[in-house]
Amino acid sequence: PKAFSDELEGNLLIDMLENQSQRSGKNVWVFYKGDQNSSYTKNGVKFFSLAGFDVKGITQDTSLAKYLLVTVMGDEVTFRFKPIL
C-alpha cells in the first residue's frame, strides 16, 4: 500500500479494506512483499511486510531471512517472524 506510484490508489485500497472489515466485522490482514520484515495497523487493518531473501546483508547472514507464522486459536490470532534457515 505504501509502494503505490499514485498515493490516491494506496489510500483507496486502505479505505476499501477498512470498509470490508467494518461491514463484515472480520479482521483484515494484508501480506505483501517489502524490503523488510515489519507490521503495522492502519485504521483497523493489519499490514505485514515480508522481505524473505531480499533482506539487505542476506549474503553474510542468512538468519535475516524470515517467514511469518500466524496462529489462530478461536478468536485469538498471534503472529511471529521466524528464521527461514
Side-chain angles (χ1 to χ4, degrees):
K2 293 180 178 180
F4 277 86
S5 59
D6 182 342
E7 185 178 339
L8 293 175
E9 284 185 56
N11 291 335
L12 178 60
L13 173 63
I14 292 168
D15 290 344
M16 290 172 55
L17 294 171
E18 285 175 29
N19 290 336
Q20 177 62 29
S21 177
Q22 291 171 358
R23 278 195 311 270
S24 68
K26 306 269 184 187
N27 294 326
V28 175
W29 290 21
V30 177
F31 300 87
Y32 64 97
K33 183 178 180 336
D35 59 358
Q36 62 182 337
N37 298 310
S38 65
S39 68
Y40 67 95
T41 302
K42 182 168 182 173
N43 300 324
V45 177
K46 189 83 170 171
F47 294 88
F48 295 92
S49 169
L50 301 163
F53 283 103
D54 290 341
V55 175
K56 291 180 183 172
I58 193 71
T59 55
Q60 290 84 24
D61 184 1
T62 57
S63 70
L64 296 172
K66 306 215 185 255
Y67 70 94
L68 186 65
L69 174 65
V70 178
T71 305
V72 180
M73 298 187 74
D75 291 340
E76 184 177 327
V77 180
T78 59
F79 67 91
R80 289 186 347 191
F81 289 97
K82 297 191 64 134
I84 290 175
L85 302 174

